[in-house]
Structures are given as structure tokens and as C-alpha cells.
Amino acid sequence: WGPRTTWAYRAGQLVLLDPHSLEPAGARVPLRRYVSFGWSFSPDGGRLVLGGFRPVLRFVDAVSLRSLGDLRLGGRGTVVVTAWPTPRRVLAAVQQRPGTLRLVVVDPVARRILGRRPLAGRSEVVDVASSSRGLALLLAPPASIGPARLVVARTDGSVGSTRISAIAAGMRMKQVPSGSSPVDRRWVPGLAVDPSGRRAFVVGGGAPVADVDLGSMQVAYHRLAEPVSLLGRLREWVEPSAFAKGESEGPVRAVHWLGDGLLAVSGWDARGTEKPVAAGLKLVDTRTWTARTLDEETGEVTLAARIILAHGSRFATGLTAYDRDGRRLWHRFGRARIGNVETSGERVYVYRYFRRAPARVIVLDLRTGETLRSVETSWFQLVRPDAASWIH
């Protein structure tokens, strides 16, 4: 039925929650205000490292929630993301000042620093992914929109980098008449990495998919085709023409690795003051470079085991579950707009916000969508071993 307890941030503490009642179920670790994200679990799941708004790592016993101590990384900056790919290596990306990143390699057993080195020139983090071989960061030029860059920090402390020239990333403010609000232009591609650490995939609006060999850092681009009839004819998967003209205010994409060469791609497209347009949910087969649309109206995806949960706080689509083959399993909440969706074991936690009533978390059965419980509770964030946390 799943874990008896689950980890969560709540009220400035790391706590164990009962996954059904969402009540505290054991010990808790008070967290200083600068330790609140950038978590990673050790490969065996027995320990946890936390980053935060200062260059400090906090190590915690994940079973007893006993603090094992802090490690100061030196200098100034924010630990934006960590990875714990092997028992004796933790990788931490530290943003020293806007646009400047460095890698710190740590031995988590001895709790000592093994090395430091710059990760890239001036850049901003767009997305991150980890694997058994290290940490991958998708970067954009600071305060502008330009070609994306993929940087890989490996467990031996080496760094690989390559330019994703066909995919734009970044953000900038438009110049507008005095008294008007500037329009935030954001181009946000998504990143997924094969858990073996051999390949990475970058997907952006109006661009081919970038397939990166993480050993050689060579990039190959693939245009996707999608069936359009029962006869199996294919058409190229293209985005609205506004992308090619540079008129879009912000194509945002998220990519999830499903296994066996499959990717789940979702997102939305913003156009100035207009309402965002959902990019839908597509399954991409990287063996054949074909795509299949499962849902045209959704904008966000949460993965749980082998089930895909399609939803979106920006779009009134409710919550729909699909299996990895694209079969629809269940749907809940009709056309309602829902908040965040999180999972733990066989349970789904759906945040619902109401104008004249307190917020609630609806606890669902992952396999059937049946409501198990409705809880009025204060905000919390689940800390999942299979989900990275980073500041963005």
C-alpha cells in the first residue's frame, strides 16, 4: 500500500507525516531559514542532504530524522541543487551571485570538501536532472534569450558542456511605454536524463528535440512526427507559427523520462497579456522519434510509479491519470482548476483552493482515483526520494 510515513517540509521543519491523515507521525528536524530546498537522498535512501539560501549542506538520517551535522562550503551563495549519485559523492551547484555558478564535490561520509570548480560562464539555471553518473543543468544566458547550454557535473569532479544551438532559453523584459507593465519574456525548455546517465533530452517550443550523448557531449537534433489518421500517416510535429517569428512571450516545456526510450512532454505557451495556451501532454518515443498526443488541454504533469498524472493550475482540466502506454485510467474534478499535485507511494495529494473556504488536500488512491480522505491542513511540501528539489 505504500510507505507508512512520508517526508515533508512544514512550518519550517522537516517532518514525517502519516500518508493518510497527513498528521505528524514521528520525529522532526527544525530547519534554519536558509535550509529549505535542494534536497537529495543517498542511493540507499537512508540519508538526506539539504541545501538552501547559504552555502551550507545539512545531512539528516532519513529514518530517525536525526540531524547528522552541517558542512559549510565556503564563500557566499545559494545551494540551488544537489545530487547524491554514489555513496561517497554529493554534488552541489552553488550560485555565488546572479549568473555565476560553481560546483562543489563533497564526501558525505567524511563530510569534507573534495574540490571546487566553476560550472559555466555567466548563466542562469533553467532545469536540472540527476542520474547515477552525476548532475545535469540546463542553462540560459543571464537576463536575455539565447541558445541553451547543457552542463554535466560528474562524480569524479569533471565537467562537460555543450551548446544547444537550436533551442532558445532565457528571459528578458520588453521595453514598454511609461506607465505600462513590462512583459516578461521567458523561453523555458525542459530537460530529462536517462537514469543511467548516458543520454539527455532537451525539448523547447518550436524546436527539434536535442538528444545529447553525455559521454562525448555531442548533440543530435530530431524533428518529431505524429500519426494523423488510422492509416498511420505521419506529419511533422510543429508548434504555432508565432514561435518561428519570435512573437511568443514564453513557451514553457517540462520533460519526464518514463523508461524504455519514452518521454512525457507538457507545458504551455504565453502570449503577452493573453491567457496561456496549453501545449498538451505528448508521449515521445526516442527510438522512432514519433509523438502521440494524449491530452490537448493540460499543461502540467506529475509522475507516480508508472502512472502519468495530467493537470494544470493554469487550466481548468481537472486531473487525469494515464498509464505509460497512454491509456486513460481515471479522471477527477471535472473541469475544475486544481492546485499542486504530489504523490507518495499509492496516494495522490491534490491541493484545492477555494474563495470562501480553507484550502484542502484531497487524498486519492493512485490506481483508481477514489477519494480516501479530505483534509483541511496548512501548506506542506513532500520530500520525495524520486524527485529533485531546486530553486527556480
Side-chain angles (χ1 to χ4, degrees):
W1 179 248
R4 295 182 180 179
T5 55
T6 188
W7 299 271
Y9 284 128
R10 171 181 274 175
Q13 297 178 319
L14 179 65
V15 301
L16 287 174
L17 297 181
D18 179 286
H20 185 65
S21 68
L22 298 179
E23 291 296 323
R28 60 193 71 191
V29 177
L31 300 177
R32 296 179 183 178
R33 62 181 179 84
Y34 59 83
V35 180
S36 58
F37 53 83
W39 74 72
S40 297
F41 282 79
S42 60
D44 64 2
R47 286 170 295 162
L48 177 64
V49 63
L50 305 167
F53 287 103
R54 293 185 184 177
V56 177
L57 298 179
R58 171 162 292 185
F59 292 88
V60 176
D61 185 300
V63 178
S64 65
L65 281 199
R66 179 173 59 90
S67 177
L68 301 175
D70 293 352
L71 176 63
R72 298 184 181 277
L73 303 182
R76 298 181 179 181
T78 298
V79 181
V80 292
V81 64
T82 65
W84 200 329
T86 69
R88 296 300 297 260
R89 290 294 182 272
V90 165
L91 306 174
V94 180
Q95 185 169 338
Q96 296 173 286
R97 57 183 181 275
T100 303
L101 294 166
R102 65 183 167 116
L103 170 69
V104 182
V105 182
V106 170
D107 180 336
V109 177
R111 284 206 294 280
R112 64 187 182 92
I113 296 171
L114 301 177
R116 301 181 182 91
R117 62 173 299 172
L119 265 179
R122 287 181 55 80
S123 55
E124 303 287 349
V125 179
V126 174
D127 203 354
V128 300
S130 61
S131 72
S132 61
R133 297 190 177 193
L135 176 65
L137 300 98
L138 186 63
L139 306 178
S144 63
I145 297 174
R149 176 169 292 278
L150 183 67
V151 173
V152 178
R154 305 184 180 95
T155 55
D156 62 1
S158 65
V159 173
S161 177
T162 191
R163 177 185 170 102
I164 313 294
S165 57
I167 297 180
M171 63 182 296
R172 68 169 178 257
M173 306 301 287
K174 276 187 175 180
Q175 296 296 320
V176 297
S178 177
S180 301
S181 298
V183 178
D184 185 4
R185 300 196 68 190
R186 295 194 311 149
W187 284 56
V188 183
L191 168 68
V193 173
D194 173 352
S196 70
R198 292 181 172 86
R199 298 170 72 191
F201 305 92
V202 181
V203 181
V209 176
D211 177 7
V212 185
D213 182 313
L214 295 181
S216 65
M217 300 305 295
Q218 294 296 308
V219 183
Y221 295 102
H222 302 273
R223 286 283 180 184
L224 300 177
E226 185 168 4
V228 293
S229 75
L230 295 177
L231 299 178
R233 291 182 293 116
L234 301 177
R235 70 178 178 191
E236 187 178 21
W237 179 32
V238 296
E239 303 286 345
S241 59
F243 289 121
K245 300 175 183 178
E247 298 170 2
S248 173
E249 301 297 342
V252 176
R253 297 292 181 268
V255 189
H256 301 272
W257 173 261
L258 301 177
D260 296 329
L262 295 177
L263 304 173
V265 179
S266 61
W268 63 90
D269 307 321
R271 289 178 171 79
T273 58
E274 299 177 17
K275 292 178 60 176
V277 177
L281 166 62
K282 296 181 185 290
L283 289 187
V284 174
D285 191 329
T286 64
R287 297 163 297 188
T288 60
W289 296 111
T290 55
R292 181 157 60 106
T293 299
L294 300 187
D295 188 327
E296 295 183 346
E297 299 181 325
T298 194
E300 299 173 46
V301 160
T302 299
L303 294 187
R306 297 171 68 87
I307 292 178
I308 307 166
L309 300 171
H311 55 97
S313 57
R314 294 169 176 81
F315 311 102
T317 61
L319 175 66
T320 307
Y322 299 90
D323 67 16
R324 205 183 61 165
D325 294 324
R327 290 187 291 265
R328 178 167 160 158
L329 302 177
W330 49 263
H331 176 82
R332 290 296 312 275
F333 309 113
R335 305 288 297 179
R337 191 186 304 272
I338 63 176
N340 195 30
V341 175
E342 299 195 73
T343 67
S344 178
E346 298 288 327
R347 291 178 172 85
V348 181
Y349 304 95
V350 181
Y351 293 73
R352 298 295 312 276
Y353 303 102
F354 307 97
R355 289 184 178 179
R356 296 181 176 84
R360 304 191 72 83
V361 173
I362 314 299
V363 185
L364 307 179
D365 183 295
L366 174 64
R367 303 296 170 180
T368 66
E370 175 187 1
T371 297
L372 302 177
R373 188 181 177 108
S374 177
V375 182
E376 184 180 318
T377 182
S378 58
W379 181 91
F380 64 89
Q381 179 184 10
L382 294 186
V383 177
R384 292 169 47 194
D386 60 341
S389 168
W390 62 289
I391 184 170
H392 58 292

